[in-house]
Amino acid sequence: MTDHAPSLVRAAGRSYFPIALVARLPYAMMVVGVLTLVVAGRDSLAFGGLNSAVVGLGAACVGPLLGAAADRFGQRTVLLVSGVASTTALGLMAWVVYSPLPSYAVLAVAFLVGASAPQIAPMSRSRLVQIIGARIAPGRRSRTFDATMAYESAADELVFIVGPFIVGLLGTTLDPWAPVAGAAVLTLVFVSAFALHPSALAAAGSHEQALPPAPARELARPALLAVVAGIFGVGLFFGSMLTSLTSFMADHGDAASAGLVYGVMGIGSAALALGVALFPASFALRARWLVFGAIMLGGAVLLPFVSSVGAMCAVLLLIGTGIGPTMVTQYSLGAHRSPLGRSATVMTILGSAVIVGQSTASAITGSVADLFGTDAALFLPIVAAGVVVLAGVVNAAQPHPAQTAPEITPTRQKVAS
C-alpha cells in the first residue's frame, strides 16, 4: 500500500472522520446561535453582541484548561464531562433568555456556554497526531502529517461556514431558540460518540506519561505566541466578515441569505486547504503564511468597493483561497511548536483563539454597522486580515521557524521550532 491516507483511516477507524466532523458543528454554531437567540428574546442587538463576546470569553478562559486536562487524564473523560456540561448550558441558555431573570443572569449562562464547549477540533488534531506517531510507518509520517493538518483545517472551514448557515435555517424556519437547542442535541449525541470512539485510547496520554510534560511556561514562547496571534486574526476575520456581510445583504433586502453568500468563501478556502498537502517542501511554512495572508488581505481591501451581491461573491471566493492555506499553516506550526506533552493544550488554545476572535469581532462589527452603516463595517475585515499578515511577519522573524513536519515517534513528539 503506497497511499498514506487509507492507512490513517484504518488506524483511526472508518467511522472516526464523519463523527469528528459533525461533533465540531456545535462549536461553530454557538456564537451566532446565542446572538440570534438573545436578539430575538431580549430585543437588543447590542446585548446580543455582548453575549456572543461573553461566549468567546468563556471559551478563552476554560478551553485551554480542558486541553491541559486531556493531556493529563486523556480525552475520553474530559470530553464526556464537558459534553454533558455543554448540553446543559445550551439548554439553560434557551430558557434563561425568555425568563424574567435580569441581564446579568443571561450573561452568566453565556459564559457557561463558552466555558463548557467541547474542544473537538483541537482534540481531533491532537488525537490524529498521536495516532500517526503510534501507527504510521516512519517513512510516511511526514506526508501523513501534512495531509492530516490540511484535512483538519478544511473541516474547520466547512463547519464555520455550515454552522452559521444551520443557525439561520433553524432560526427562520422554526424559532430563534431552535439553533441553540439543535446544538445541544448534536453535542449530546456526537460529542459523546467522539469521546467514546476507540481512537480516543490513542490520545489517553499513556505514551507521553513515560516522559514528564514540558513546563507550562514553554507555552509562552514567542514562536508559539505568534501563531496564536495569527489564528486569533483569522477568528476576527470570520466574525467581522459574517456580521458586515449580514449588514450588506440587509441593505440589498435579503439579510436571510447572508449565510448562503458567506458560504461562497468556504469553496475556495476548503479546496486550497486540502491542496496544501501537495505543496513542495521548499515552500516553507513561514512563506506560505505570508503569501496566503497577503491574498486574504488583498481580497479584504476590495470589500468596501463592492456594490452588488455577485461582486461580493467573487471577492469572497478570492478571500477564501487565502484563508484555507493560512489556517493549515498556522495549525501545522502549532503542532510543530507544541511543547512535549502539551499538544492538546496548544490545539485548544488555537481553537479558543478562533472563537474569541469571532465573537469579539461580531460584537464590534455589529455596533459599527448600527452606528455608522455597512460601508464602515466592511473596513473591519481589512483590519482583521492585517492582524493575520502582521502576525505572519512576526512569525517569519523567528530564528528557527518550522518548515517540515515534526518528527513524531510513538513515545514523544519532537518539536521543530
Side-chain angles (χ1 to χ4, degrees), residues 7 12 35 50 60 65 83 107 134 162-163 172 187-189 195 246 265 300 322 332-333 335 368 372 401 407 409 414:
S7 299
L35 174 64
L50 179 60
L65 299 180
L107 290 170
V162 173
T172 55
T187 298
L188 184 62
V189 175
T246 301
M265 190 171 68
S332 296
L333 286 167
V368 170
F372 305 106
E407 182 184 349
T409 69
K414 297 181 180 178

Side-chain angles (χ1 to χ4, degrees), residues 82-146:
S82 65
V84 172
S86 181
T87 299
T88 303
L90 288 166
L92 189 59
M93 191 75 203
W95 171 80
V96 74
V97 168
Y98 293 102
S99 76
L101 293 176
S103 296
Y104 65 79
V106 181
L107 290 170
V109 176
F111 182 86
L112 291 177
V113 168
S116 62
Q119 305 286 321
I120 298 299
M123 296 289 188
S124 178
R125 284 182 173 87
S126 178
R127 187 181 296 191
L128 291 176
V129 166
Q130 294 190 41
I131 291 173
I132 291 169
R135 303 287 300 277
I136 304 300
R140 298 183 188 176
R141 286 177 191 160
S142 179
R143 286 184 59 82
T144 304
F145 173 85
D146 289 342

